[in-house]
Amino acid sequence: MNEAFRSERTFTVWQYTVFHHGRLLLRSSRRTESDTRVDLHVGGVRGMFLRPTYEGIVIREGTEEEVRHLTSVLGPEVFRPGARLHVIGEDRMTGFVVGGPLECHESPSGDDVPSGFLPMPPTA
């Protein structure tokens, strides 16, 4: 298992947009004034299945078997060249994102401040 990210913090699906090639932002808000906020970003999203909130999160690279299974369900176009399977769950899949690399940004900013990634358009 190639683990990309692990945290005991609570993460929420904060924003998703199809604008600018599909971008997903998962966020763990500051718990106290002196705490940090953690943002996880995946661009080029081609497919996903997520719960709204994760109490603790492990994100790992998908196995070849998991890629084959999702290809049979979603179709081969989802796994275009360069697409990666990010599996949420250590020993079983509780969610996934197919897209570009997983990026992480930690900041002392509040939730009303944009993430450290390219600006995402506001949702209507």
Side-chain angles (χ1 to χ4, degrees):
M1 172 179 73
N2 190 3
E3 193 174 288
F5 184 82
R6 175 186 290 268
S7 176
E8 297 303 317
R9 295 175 63 141
T10 299
F11 281 83
T12 301
V13 176
W14 197 258
Q15 189 173 12
Y16 172 72
T17 180
V18 295
F19 193 65
H20 287 297
H21 309 292
R23 297 174 56 208
L24 172 68
L25 184 67
L26 301 173
R27 175 170 286 174
S28 177
S29 299
R30 296 184 317 173
R31 297 165 288 193
T32 65
E33 283 295 316
S34 62
D35 199 6
T36 59
R37 179 185 82 192
V38 179
D39 289 336
L40 302 175
H41 175 266
V42 177
V45 173
R46 306 278 297 179
M48 65 181 163
F49 176 79
L50 299 169
R51 295 189 314 215
T53 301
Y54 291 90
E55 303 288 333
I57 194 167
V58 174
I59 302 176
R60 62 179 173 79
E61 183 180 306
T63 65
E64 289 182 24
E65 180 181 332
E66 289 167 326
V67 170
R68 278 193 302 276
H69 174 70
L70 287 175
T71 298
S72 73
V73 173
L74 303 174
E77 64 277 0
V78 172
F79 289 97
R80 70 169 199 269
R84 302 172 187 189
L85 174 58
H86 306 285
V87 173
I88 299 174
E90 187 169 14
D91 51 355
R92 64 183 176 84
M93 184 184 295
T94 61
F96 69 85
V97 179
V98 178
L102 176 68
E103 301 173 283
C104 178
H105 183 259
E106 191 167 359
S107 164
S109 301
D111 288 340
D112 56 339
V113 177
S115 73
F117 304 105
L118 290 173
M120 293 176 79
T123 54

